[in-house]
Amino acid sequence: MDKTGLNFATCVFSVLVLLLINGCTSNVISIDTKDSVTFSTLETSIPLSKQRKDRIKLRGSRAGGDYSQVVPDGKMIIIEGTQIHGPTDVSGTTDLTYASLSYGSEDILPGGGLMPQELSFLVYVGAAQTNMDVTLLHEGTTYTTNDRTTELYLQLGGAYAITPAFKAGLTWASTVGADLTGISEVDLRLGYALFSHLEVIGGYRWLEYNYLVEEDDSTIRVKFKGPFIGLNIPF
C-alpha cells in the first residue's frame, strides 16, 4: 500500500473510532432523588438456643422524601419508557421500604483481654427485600415507577456499653442484587433498654440506594439522610 492509501485508511479508521465512541456515550442521566428525611425502624432477634450467642434477626425500615432535579441541555432522563429532554426541571417523591432476614451474632468479638469489656461487635448475613416507589412530575404530568428487588444482605458494626442499659454504636449494612442494585447504609446509633426484651433505638443514618433500570439503560439513585427512631425487641 502506498503512502496516500495508508493515510486514507488511517483517516477512515479514526472516523470509525470516533463514531463508535460517540455511539457508546449515552446522554441518559440518572434520576437523582435526594432529601433529608426521618427513618422509622423496627428490629427483633431470636437466639437459636440459650447456650449459643448466634441469632436470627428480622429488621425493617422505611423513609419517604421529596426531590427536585435539573436535567441539563443535551441530556435526558427516562422513566417508564418516556424520555424527558433537557434543559428542564423535574420533581417528585420517593418512598423506600426495606427489610432483611439474617443470621449472626451481636457478640462476634466480645470485649475482654486487650479490648474493653464494654466493647462488642456484630456480624449478620442473609437476604433482604427493597420496595421502591418513585413519582416524577414534569410540566403537569406525573410519572410513576416502582419495583421490588431481592438482594443479599450484610451488616457489620460495633457497640460500646456506656451503662448496662445504655449503648452507643456504629453499624454499616449493604445489600446487592443480581443486577448490582442495592443499598448502602451507615448508622450512628444509641440504644436504651427499657426492659430485657424492649430497647428504644435512635440516631442518624446515611443511606444510598442504586436501582438499575435495565430496559432503559438508566439508574435511579436514592440518597437519604437524617435521624431515625425505632424499637428493638430481642428475645
Side-chain angles (χ1 to χ4, degrees):
M1 181 182 294
D2 60 20
K3 187 174 181 179
T4 302
L6 181 60
N7 290 338
F8 177 77
T10 302
C11 291
V12 171
F13 179 77
S14 300
V15 170
L16 290 175
V17 169
L18 289 174
L19 289 174
L20 179 61
I21 293 174
N22 289 333
C24 294
T25 302
S26 174
N27 62 345
V28 179
I29 62 173
S30 63
I31 297 175
D32 293 325
T33 76
K34 303 177 183 179
D35 198 10
S36 296
V37 302
T38 299
F39 298 87
S40 57
T41 298
L42 181 63
E43 300 179 1
T44 186
S45 60
I46 303 172
L48 294 184
S49 72
K50 293 183 178 180
Q51 293 76 30
R52 296 167 57 176
K53 294 183 177 180
D54 48 344
R55 308 174 73 88
I56 299 296
K57 184 175 183 179
L58 180 62
R59 179 172 181 260
S61 194
R62 180 189 177 277
D66 302 321
Y67 71 94
S68 60
Q69 181 179 359
V70 176
V71 183
D73 189 18
K75 300 295 183 178
M76 67 177 176
I77 57 177
I78 302 177
I79 182 167
E80 293 298 292
T82 301
Q83 298 179 359
I84 299 176
H85 294 264
T88 190
D89 296 333
V90 297
S91 61
T93 62
T94 305
D95 188 90
L96 199 65
T97 304
Y98 52 103
S100 62
L101 179 64
S102 58
Y103 164 81
S105 174
E106 303 283 336
D107 297 302
I108 197 71
L109 289 174
L114 298 178
M115 294 189 300
Q117 189 68 36
E118 298 83 3
L119 190 62
S120 61
F121 297 91
L122 67 85
V123 176
Y124 283 93
V125 295
Q129 178 165 305
T130 304
N131 301 340
M132 179 195 67
D133 294 280
V134 174
T135 66
L136 184 146
L137 178 64
H138 179 247
E139 296 181 348
T141 302
T142 300
Y143 306 89
T144 62
T145 184
N146 56 73
D147 198 40
R148 314 289 181 262
T149 57
T150 301
E151 302 131 359
L152 297 176
Y153 174 81
L154 171 66
Q155 185 187 36
L156 306 173
Y160 185 85
I162 301 171
T163 71
F166 185 41
K167 292 183 178 181
L170 172 70
T171 62
W172 170 81
S174 180
T175 70
V176 61
D179 56 359
L180 302 183
T181 288
I183 283 177
S184 180
E185 175 195 78
V186 176
D187 283 358
L188 285 174
R189 59 187 287 159
L190 299 172
Y192 185 79
L194 299 175
F195 309 102
S196 58
H197 298 302
L198 180 61
E199 179 186 27
V200 177
I201 56 175
Y204 200 88
R205 176 174 297 166
W206 294 266
L207 178 144
E208 181 171 348
Y209 176 60
N210 292 318
Y211 174 70
L212 177 64
V213 187
E214 294 183 348
E215 57 269 23
D216 295 335
D217 192 26
S218 63
T219 305
I220 298 175
R221 291 191 175 94
V222 179
K223 291 185 178 180
F224 283 163
K225 62 180 180 179
F228 73 90
I229 188 169
L231 295 175
N232 178 27
I233 309 173
F235 291 95

